[in-house]
Amino acid sequence: MKTKTVNINDRELLELCGSGNNSGYSLLYQRYSKAVFNSIFRIVNDREDAEDILQEVFLKAFSEIKSLKNTDSFGGWIKRIGINHSLTFLRKKKIYFAEIDDDKMLDINDDELDEKLALETRVEELQDAIAGLPLQIRTIVNLLLFEEMSQEEVAKSLNIPHGTVRSYYHRAKKKIFEKLTQKCQNERFA
């Protein structure tokens, strides 16, 4: 049956859902649950919480599936629901994002940091460095890098000024660079 499901597009699966055929729901879940889970997990950083949120996201999506206007965008739509639920989860845990003044930003050339990061890091080390960041900073980095949201979209989603997103991201790049540089130095002297 797996080969048949590859050939079924989202529109056809949504039509199955609309006609009351439960296999449409099941196949949509199979198709998108892993990607949505990964997005949620990168934000909340706890497997059990991410699994709970994932179930809530699919329940919400399936209950509101008729409100989806563009059936070709189901993947993006459910991923956005997942991100929004994750951010709401953080807010309920009293994790807020504080506004940072632009004048408190550190004076480091962004292009220089980007080049050094690209040259000196591997993906796993980068993910470990990101995972070690404070929750607010990690959330912004994950939304920018892995969810490919713009700084403006992140600011709107978190209900914080664009300058705060930029400041957090700038700090994150500096901390990541410091962690990776320290790791490289430790490896050289080990």
Side-chain angles (χ1 to χ4, degrees):
M1 177 155 187
K2 199 152 192 136
T3 55
K4 289 182 179 180
T5 62
V6 172
N7 297 327
I8 298 175
N9 66 32
D10 289 354
R11 177 174 288 141
E12 292 168 323
L13 292 176
L14 290 167
E15 287 172 6
L16 284 173
C17 295
S19 68
N21 187 333
N22 287 337
S23 65
Y25 294 108
S26 178
L27 294 172
L28 283 170
Y29 183 85
Q30 289 174 14
R31 184 172 288 173
Y32 291 105
S33 62
K34 184 175 181 180
V36 175
F37 174 82
N38 288 338
S39 296
I40 293 167
F41 183 73
R42 281 191 292 267
I43 295 171
V44 301
N45 203 33
D46 182 88
R47 181 165 296 284
E48 288 180 14
D49 290 336
E51 289 171 352
D52 291 344
I53 293 169
L54 178 69
Q55 298 309 313
E56 292 172 17
V57 166
F58 273 92
L59 283 172
K60 177 177 175 116
F62 289 159
S63 69
E64 297 179 8
I65 208 160
K66 292 180 181 173
S67 68
L68 179 62
K69 292 176 179 43
N70 182 359
T71 56
D72 294 329
S73 65
F74 180 81
W77 181 66
I78 195 154
K79 199 171 183 183
R80 175 57 74 178
I81 293 172
I83 291 168
N84 289 341
H85 269 63
S86 300
L87 296 174
T88 299
F89 173 81
L90 293 180
R91 286 185 195 106
K92 285 180 181 175
K93 288 185 83 170
K94 305 287 188 211
I95 298 170
Y96 296 101
F97 296 84
E99 184 173 340
I100 299 175
D101 295 329
D102 282 342
D103 62 347
K104 292 182 182 176
M105 287 180 59
L106 302 170
D107 188 22
I108 293 181
N109 184 340
D110 281 353
D111 294 334
E112 182 181 313
L113 274 177
D114 289 339
E115 288 175 13
K116 288 181 181 179
L117 282 172
L119 294 173
E120 297 181 19
T121 63
R122 294 186 299 253
V123 172
E124 188 175 313
E125 291 171 340
L126 181 59
Q127 288 174 333
D128 289 343
I130 290 170
L133 294 171
L135 182 61
Q136 292 89 344
I137 295 174
R138 184 179 66 237
T139 300
I140 288 172
V141 169
N142 283 324
L143 292 174
L144 290 168
L145 297 181
F146 298 109
E147 304 307 326
E148 299 177 358
M149 294 172 67
S150 69
Q151 289 183 6
E152 292 81 10
E153 290 173 316
V154 172
K156 186 176 180 180
S157 293
L158 298 175
N159 197 27
I160 57 176
H162 175 254
T164 299
V165 172
R166 191 173 58 246
S167 297
Y168 273 131
Y169 186 55
H170 185 76
R171 287 180 180 188
K173 288 194 301 185
K174 182 178 186 309
K175 287 182 180 191
I176 291 168
F177 177 72
E178 289 170 355
K179 284 181 182 183
L180 294 174
T181 301
Q182 182 180 15
K183 183 174 170 85
C184 287
Q185 288 174 350
N186 290 343
E187 287 174 357
R188 266 191 254 157
F189 296 116

